[in-house]
Amino acid sequence: MPLPPTSRPPVSRSVESLIVGTDGAARPGARAVPEEVPVSLVYSSVPFAVMMLTPSDLEDFAYGFSLTEGIVTGAEGIREVEVGEEARGLRLDIRLAPTALTQHLARRRSIAGRTGCGLCGIEELDQMPQAVRPEGVAPAIDMPAIRRALAELERNQPLNDETRAVHAAAFAGADGVLRAVREDVGRHNALDKLAGALMRGGVRAAEGFVIVTSRCSFELVEKAASIGARTLVAISAPTALALDRARALDMNLVAVARRDTVAVFHGMERVRDGVAG
């Protein structure tokens, strides 16, 4: 099944600015900046959260957020998603299947989302997401595939090319060919959009690897694990807690990733072609 297409064109606006060069000379110019809007998520008429998003690929976000937050376990848990406008932003009306709705209402959680925070509003520490360690050993991954995916990703971030202000999350097959890319002002949001695209397209994340253009935080590891990814590649370094979780989940963790060099933090024996174990 093909992946659902990303929405185009990227959502941005052109604003006036003053460009100052190294010689101190100033000249008027224009820069593109990404849009960021509050999006209310409402499950079967029950408000749940307000997230700050780039207003693209919202259906993907609805599916992915619902999965990584544990509201549904698969696409069958969602009956319908409708995008609507409100006075101060957008609204995602997500109609859950009866079983998913019953389970959702049994959980007591209300969060106010921000682009830079992934655990805002959790009331108890035991409410932190905990992905289940999958069975079996994570598959090996080839360095040429990682390099190919990184090179392709540089050429497939249209909104970031325009604004230099957003993150991307991508999924590559085992051969390193990108299958999907999603962008957002928030790194967690970009990964949720990717998760939704994979879920809606029936793609198994374990058959390739996920790339994020940000530091590797605890929740990015959790979100990647919740969609079944066994390898996560991050452009920047991981936190200590993210590394602890990757080890506990036996997830291959490759970070500080550039086309010429990478650092393998877990799964060293499974990253092939010149990387020492």
Side-chain angles (χ1 to χ4, degrees), residues 14 29 48 50 54 58 112 118 125 152 161 170 200 205 208 245 256:
S14 180
F48 178 70
V50 176
T54 301
L58 292 176
L125 286 177
E152 283 198 14
D161 288 344
R200 295 173 72 196
R245 284 302 291 155
V256 199

Side-chain angles (χ1 to χ4, degrees), residues 3 11 39 41 71 81 97 109 116 141 150 159 164 176 180 196-197 209 214 231 239 247 264:
L3 287 168
V11 183
V39 178
L41 287 90
I71 296 169
V81 176
R109 183 179 180 198
I141 182 171
L150 291 170
L159 183 55
R164 297 298 175 187
F209 55 97
S214 64
T231 298
T239 65
R247 288 169 173 164
V264 183

Side-chain angles (χ1 to χ4, degrees), residues 116 118-119 167-169 187-188 191 210-225 229-247 249 251-258 263-266:
L119 294 173
H167 288 294
R187 54 199 170 94
H188 303 94
L191 186 51
V210 170
I211 310 171
V212 293
T213 62
S214 64
R215 68 180 173 87
C216 182
S217 65
F218 159 82
E219 195 175 15
L220 291 188
V221 171
E222 290 289 340
K223 285 180 180 290
R230 303 302 305 271
T231 298
L232 177 61
V233 178
I235 299 299
S236 297
T239 65
L241 184 56
L243 178 55
D244 288 345
R245 284 302 291 155
R247 288 169 173 164
L249 293 164
M251 175 185 290
N252 300 330
L253 182 58
V254 180
V256 199
R258 306 293 185 267
V264 183
F265 288 86
H266 183 68

Side-chain angles (χ1 to χ4, degrees), residues 28-51:
R31 288 294 303 267
V33 296
E35 295 285 0
E36 181 181 20
V37 301
V39 178
S40 173
L41 287 90
V42 179
Y43 288 93
S44 298
S45 301
V46 180
F48 178 70
V50 176
M51 306 296 292

Side-chain angles (χ1 to χ4, degrees), residues 65 81 93 170:
F65 180 88
V81 176
D93 284 300

Side-chain angles (χ1 to χ4, degrees), residues 147-207:
R147 294 191 181 101
R148 179 178 188 178
L150 291 170
E152 283 198 14
L153 185 56
E154 289 181 5
R155 301 189 295 268
N156 285 276
Q157 299 176 65
L159 183 55
N160 192 58
D161 288 344
E162 187 180 11
T163 66
R164 297 298 175 187
V166 299
H167 288 294
F171 176 75
D175 56 1
V177 176
L178 294 187
R179 306 294 199 265
V181 181
R182 294 295 184 266
E183 294 181 281
D184 197 275
V185 289
R187 54 199 170 94
H188 303 94
N189 300 338
L191 186 51
D192 279 334
K193 288 179 178 180
L194 179 70
L198 299 183
M199 180 165 64
R200 295 173 72 196
V203 177
R204 296 182 65 252
E207 295 175 352

